[in-house]
């Protein structure tokens, strides 16, 4: 059996690599789409894994490890402040709102999907 620390660590490596790949794939100069994407997608995945309740090992690997390193509150905060400080006030507010509403909607969608799946 793999120790919990290894599950979280290996999941963290996977999440960090996926975060970098995703951010590069959707990067835009004027709006932090990469941060928004990883936060919404990560919220969906974490919500789905939580609803499906696949067991502690999967929750540690996917939830704590992968989703923990894939999603990013610090980048969200930094990007919001950066937009505000560059006088992109409407973009800063929209970015913050999209992160919050998008992530909550993603969790709701994951809950709905998870409740429909035969487990």
């Amino acid at each position: 059996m793999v120790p919990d620390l290894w599950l979280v660590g290996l999941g963290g490596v996977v999440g960090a690599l996926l975060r970098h790949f995703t951010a590069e794939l959707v990067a835009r100069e004027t709006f932090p789409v990469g941060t928004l994407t990883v936060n919404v997608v990560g919220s969906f995945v974490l919500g789905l894994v939580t609803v499906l309740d696949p067991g502690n090992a999967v929750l540690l690997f996917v939830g704590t490890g992968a989703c923990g390193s894939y999603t990013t509150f610090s980048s969200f905060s930094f990007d919001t402040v950066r937009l505000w400080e560059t006088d992109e006030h409407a973009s800063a507010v929209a970015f913050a709102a999209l992160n919050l509403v998008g992530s909550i909607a993603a969790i709701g969608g994951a809950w709905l999907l998870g409740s429909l799946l035969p487990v």
Side-chain angles (χ1 to χ4, degrees), residues 23 37 45 62 65 82 89 109 114:
T37 301
V45 170
V62 175
R82 182 185 53 78
H89 299 142

Side-chain angles (χ1 to χ4, degrees), residues 22-109:
T22 303
E24 291 289 316
L25 186 67
V26 300
R28 301 291 180 271
E29 257 185 57
T30 58
F31 195 80
V33 178
T35 302
L36 177 61
T37 301
V38 298
N39 285 340
V40 172
V41 170
S43 294
F44 179 84
V45 170
L46 182 58
L48 187 60
V49 169
T50 302
V51 168
L52 296 177
D53 193 20
N56 191 51
V58 174
L59 287 172
L60 286 171
F61 180 82
V62 175
T64 304
C67 288
S69 65
Y70 182 72
T71 60
T72 173
F73 188 77
S74 58
S75 292
F76 158 72
S77 301
F78 174 82
D79 289 339
T80 303
V81 170
R82 182 185 53 78
L83 287 168
W84 191 268
E85 287 179 339
T86 59
D87 293 327
E88 298 289 335
H89 299 142
S91 291
V93 171
F95 178 68
L98 285 169
N99 267 278
L100 179 62
V101 172
S103 294
I104 291 171
I107 291 171

